[in-house]
Coordinates of all heavy atoms in Angstrom, one line a residue:
A1 N 4.3 12.6 -5.5 CA 5.0 12.4 -4.2 C 4.5 11.3 -3.4 O 5.3 10.5 -2.8 CB 5.1 13.7 -3.4
M2 N 3.2 11.2 -3.3 CA 2.6 10.1 -2.6 C 3.0 8.7 -3.2 O 3.3 7.8 -2.5 CB 1.1 10.2 -2.5 CG 0.4 9.1 -1.8 SD 1.0 8.8 -0.1 CE 0.4 10.2 0.8
N3 N 2.9 8.6 -4.5 CA 3.2 7.3 -5.2 C 4.7 7.0 -4.9 O 5.0 5.8 -4.8 CB 2.9 7.4 -6.6 CG 1.4 7.1 -6.9 OD1 0.9 6.1 -6.4 ND2 0.7 7.9 -7.6
Y4 N 5.6 8.0 -4.8 CA 7.0 7.7 -4.5 C 7.1 7.1 -3.2 O 7.8 6.1 -3.0 CB 7.8 9.1 -4.6 CG 9.2 8.9 -4.3 CD1 10.1 8.3 -5.2 CD2 9.7 9.2 -3.1 CE1 11.4 8.2 -4.9 CE2 11.0 9.1 -2.7 CZ 11.9 8.6 -3.7 OH 13.3 8.4 -3.4
L5 N 6.4 7.6 -2.2 CA 6.4 7.1 -0.8 C 5.8 5.7 -0.8 O 6.3 4.8 -0.1 CB 5.7 8.0 0.2 CG 6.4 9.4 0.4 CD1 5.4 10.2 1.3 CD2 7.7 9.2 1.1
L6 N 4.7 5.5 -1.5 CA 4.0 4.2 -1.5 C 5.0 3.2 -2.2 O 5.1 2.0 -1.7 CB 2.7 4.3 -2.3 CG 1.6 5.1 -1.7 CD1 0.5 5.3 -2.6 CD2 1.2 4.5 -0.4
G7 N 5.7 3.6 -3.2 CA 6.7 2.7 -3.8 C 7.8 2.3 -2.9 O 8.2 1.1 -2.9
Q8 N 8.3 3.2 -2.1 CA 9.3 2.9 -1.1 C 8.8 1.9 -0.1 O 9.4 0.9 0.2 CB 9.8 4.2 -0.4 CG 10.7 5.0 -1.3 CD 11.1 6.3 -0.5 OE1 10.4 6.8 0.4 NE2 12.3 6.7 -0.8
L9 N 7.6 2.2 0.5 CA 7.1 1.4 1.5 C 6.7 0.0 1.0 O 6.8 -1.0 1.7 CB 5.9 2.1 2.2 CG 6.2 3.3 3.1 CD1 5.0 4.1 3.5 CD2 7.0 2.8 4.3
E10 N 6.2 -0.1 -0.3 CA 5.9 -1.3 -0.8 C 7.2 -2.2 -1.0 O 7.2 -3.4 -0.7 CB 5.2 -1.1 -2.2 CG 4.7 -2.4 -2.8 CD 3.9 -2.2 -4.1 OE1 4.2 -1.2 -4.8 OE2 2.9 -2.9 -4.3
A11 N 8.2 -1.6 -1.5 CA 9.5 -2.3 -1.7 C 10.1 -2.7 -0.4 O 10.8 -3.8 -0.3 CB 10.5 -1.3 -2.4
L12 N 9.8 -2.0 0.7 CA 10.3 -2.3 2.0 C 9.4 -3.4 2.7 O 9.7 -3.8 3.8 CB 10.4 -1.1 2.9 CG 11.5 -0.1 2.4 CD1 11.4 1.2 3.2 CD2 12.9 -0.7 2.6
G13 N 8.2 -3.7 2.1 CA 7.4 -4.7 2.7 C 6.3 -4.2 3.7 O 5.7 -5.0 4.4
Y14 N 6.1 -2.9 3.7 CA 5.1 -2.3 4.7 C 3.7 -2.3 4.1 O 2.7 -2.3 4.9 CB 5.5 -0.9 5.1 CG 6.7 -0.9 6.0 CD1 8.0 -0.7 5.4 CD2 6.6 -1.1 7.4 CE1 9.1 -0.7 6.2 CE2 7.8 -1.1 8.2 CZ 9.0 -0.9 7.6 OH 10.1 -0.9 8.4
L15 N 3.6 -2.3 2.9 CA 2.2 -2.2 2.3 C 2.2 -2.9 0.9 O 3.3 -3.3 0.3 CB 1.8 -0.7 2.1 CG 2.6 0.2 1.3 CD1 2.2 0.1 -0.2 CD2 2.4 1.6 1.8
E16 N 1.0 -3.1 0.4 CA 0.8 -3.7 -0.9 C -0.3 -2.9 -1.6 O -1.2 -2.3 -1.0 CB 0.5 -5.1 -0.8 CG -0.8 -5.5 -0.1 CD -1.0 -7.0 0.0 OE1 -0.1 -7.8 -0.4 OE2 -2.1 -7.4 0.5
R17 N -0.2 -2.8 -2.9 CA -1.2 -2.2 -3.7 C -2.0 -3.3 -4.4 O -1.5 -4.2 -5.0 CB -0.6 -1.3 -4.8 CG 0.2 -0.2 -4.3 CD 0.9 0.6 -5.5 NE 2.2 0.9 -5.2 CZ 2.7 2.1 -5.6 NH1 2.1 2.9 -6.3 NH2 4.0 2.4 -5.3
R18 N -3.3 -3.2 -4.2 CA -4.2 -4.3 -4.8 C -5.2 -3.6 -5.8 O -5.5 -2.4 -5.6 CB -5.1 -4.9 -3.7 CG -4.3 -5.7 -2.6 CD -5.2 -6.2 -1.6 NE -4.6 -6.6 -0.4 CZ -5.2 -6.9 0.7 NH1 -6.5 -6.7 0.8 NH2 -4.4 -7.2 1.8
N19 N -5.6 -4.3 -6.8 CA -6.5 -3.8 -7.8 C -7.8 -3.4 -7.1 O -8.3 -4.0 -6.1 CB -6.9 -4.9 -8.8 CG -5.7 -5.1 -9.7 OD1 -4.9 -4.2 -10.0 ND2 -5.6 -6.3 -10.3
D20 N -8.4 -2.3 -7.5 CA -9.6 -1.8 -7.0 C -10.7 -2.5 -7.7 O -10.9 -2.4 -9.0 CB -9.7 -0.3 -7.3 CG -10.9 0.4 -6.7 OD1 -11.9 -0.3 -6.4 OD2 -10.9 1.6 -6.5
A21 N -11.6 -3.2 -7.0 CA -12.7 -4.0 -7.6 C -13.7 -3.0 -8.3 O -14.4 -3.4 -9.2 CB -13.4 -4.8 -6.6
E22 N -13.8 -1.8 -7.8 CA -14.8 -0.8 -8.4 C -14.2 -0.1 -9.6 O -15.0 0.4 -10.4 CB -15.1 0.2 -7.3 CG -15.8 -0.3 -6.1 CD -16.0 0.7 -5.0 OE1 -15.8 1.9 -5.3 OE2 -16.3 0.3 -3.9
D23 N -12.9 0.0 -9.7 CA -12.3 0.7 -10.9 C -10.9 0.0 -11.1 O -10.0 0.2 -10.5 CB -12.1 2.2 -10.5 CG -11.4 3.0 -11.6 OD1 -11.1 2.4 -12.7 OD2 -11.3 4.2 -11.4
L24 N -11.0 -0.8 -12.2 CA -9.8 -1.6 -12.4 C -8.5 -0.8 -12.9 O -7.4 -1.3 -12.9 CB -10.1 -2.7 -13.5 CG -11.1 -3.7 -13.1 CD1 -11.4 -4.7 -14.2 CD2 -10.7 -4.5 -11.8
R25 N -8.7 0.5 -13.2 CA -7.6 1.3 -13.5 C -6.9 1.8 -12.2 O -5.8 2.3 -12.3 CB -8.1 2.6 -14.2 CG -8.8 2.3 -15.6 CD -9.4 3.5 -16.1 NE -10.5 3.9 -15.2 CZ -11.1 5.1 -15.2 NH1 -10.8 6.0 -16.1 NH2 -12.0 5.4 -14.3
S26 N -7.5 1.6 -11.1 CA -7.0 2.2 -9.9 C -6.5 1.1 -8.9 O -6.9 -0.1 -9.1 CB -8.1 3.0 -9.2 OG -7.6 3.7 -8.1
K27 N -5.7 1.4 -7.9 CA -5.3 0.5 -6.9 C -5.8 1.0 -5.6 O -6.1 2.2 -5.3 CB -3.7 0.5 -6.9 CG -3.1 0.1 -8.1 CD -3.1 -1.4 -8.3 CE -2.4 -1.9 -9.6 NZ -2.5 -3.3 -9.8
R28 N -5.8 0.1 -4.6 CA -6.1 0.5 -3.2 C -4.9 0.0 -2.4 O -4.2 -1.0 -2.7 CB -7.4 -0.2 -2.7 CG -8.6 0.5 -3.4 CD -9.9 0.2 -2.7 NE -10.9 0.8 -3.4 CZ -11.5 2.0 -3.0 NH1 -11.0 2.6 -1.9 NH2 -12.5 2.5 -3.6
I29 N -4.6 0.7 -1.3 CA -3.4 0.4 -0.4 C -3.8 -0.3 0.8 O -4.8 0.1 1.5 CB -2.7 1.8 -0.1 CG1 -2.5 2.6 -1.4 CG2 -1.5 1.5 0.7 CD1 -1.7 2.0 -2.4
Y30 N -3.0 -1.3 1.2 CA -3.3 -2.1 2.4 C -1.9 -2.4 3.1 O -0.9 -2.6 2.4 CB -3.9 -3.4 2.1 CG -5.3 -3.3 1.5 CD1 -5.5 -3.2 0.1 CD2 -6.4 -3.2 2.3 CE1 -6.7 -3.0 -0.4 CE2 -7.7 -3.0 1.7 CZ -7.9 -2.9 0.4 OH -9.1 -2.8 -0.1
L31 N -1.9 -2.3 4.4 CA -0.7 -2.6 5.2 C -0.5 -4.1 5.1 O -1.5 -4.9 5.2 CB -0.8 -2.2 6.6 CG -0.9 -0.6 6.8 CD1 -1.0 -0.4 8.3 CD2 0.4 0.0 6.3
T32 N 0.7 -4.5 5.1 CA 1.1 -5.9 5.2 C 1.3 -6.2 6.7 O 1.1 -5.4 7.6 CB 2.4 -6.2 4.5 OG1 3.4 -5.4 5.1 CG2 2.4 -5.9 3.0
A33 N 1.7 -7.5 7.0 CA 1.9 -7.8 8.4 C 3.0 -6.9 9.0 O 3.0 -6.5 10.1 CB 2.3 -9.3 8.5
R34 N 4.1 -6.7 8.1 CA 5.1 -5.7 8.6 C 4.6 -4.3 8.9 O 5.0 -3.7 9.8 CB 6.2 -5.7 7.6 CG 7.4 -4.9 7.9 CD 8.6 -5.1 6.9 NE 9.7 -4.2 7.1 CZ 10.6 -4.3 8.0 NH1 10.6 -5.3 8.8 NH2 11.6 -3.4 8.1
G35 N 3.7 -3.9 8.0 CA 3.1 -2.6 8.2 C 2.3 -2.5 9.5 O 2.3 -1.5 10.2
E36 N 1.5 -3.6 9.7 CA 0.7 -3.6 10.9 C 1.6 -3.6 12.2 O 1.3 -3.0 13.2 CB -0.2 -4.9 10.9 CG -1.3 -4.8 9.9 CD -2.4 -3.9 10.2 OE1 -2.4 -3.3 11.4 OE2 -3.3 -3.6 9.3
A37 N 2.7 -4.3 12.1 CA 3.7 -4.4 13.2 C 4.2 -3.0 13.5 O 4.3 -2.5 14.6 CB 4.8 -5.4 13.0
A38 N 4.5 -2.3 12.4 CA 5.0 -0.9 12.5 C 3.9 0.0 13.2 O 4.2 0.8 14.1 CB 5.5 -0.3 11.2
R39 N 2.7 -0.2 12.7 CA 1.6 0.6 13.3 C 1.4 0.3 14.8 O 1.1 1.3 15.5 CB 0.3 0.4 12.5 CG -0.9 1.1 13.2 CD -2.2 1.1 12.4 NE -2.6 0.0 11.7 CZ -3.6 0.1 10.7 NH1 -4.1 1.2 10.5 NH2 -4.0 -1.0 10.1
T40 N 1.6 -0.9 15.2 CA 1.5 -1.2 16.6 C 2.5 -0.5 17.4 O 2.3 0.1 18.5 CB 1.6 -2.8 16.8 OG1 0.6 -3.4 16.1 CG2 1.6 -3.1 18.3
V41 N 3.8 -0.4 16.9 CA 4.9 0.3 17.5 C 4.5 1.8 17.6 O 4.8 2.5 18.6 CB 6.3 0.0 16.8 CG1 7.3 1.0 17.4 CG2 6.6 -1.4 17.0

């Protein structure tokens, strides 16, 4: 369910998934500029 929401928000430009430097099998989630703007609101 979380990955579904992450996929939606990523497609809408609110976040991005980046490779995890500690575990290349995993991703880490970061807000984009659009996500930061939404957080401000």
Side-chain angles (χ1 to χ4, degrees):
M2 177 55 69
N3 275 312
Y4 179 77
L5 292 174
L6 292 173
Q8 287 182 329
L9 289 169
E10 186 174 35
L12 295 168
Y14 290 94
L15 60 84
E16 61 185 5
R17 301 178 217 215
R18 298 181 197 161
N19 289 330
D20 184 341
E22 297 171 15
D23 181 356
L24 296 179
R25 299 168 297 163
S26 189
K27 300 283 186 187
R28 293 201 179 257
I29 310 303
Y30 296 91
L31 293 178
T32 62
R34 181 172 172 79
E36 290 290 349
R39 177 168 37 197
T40 298
V41 170

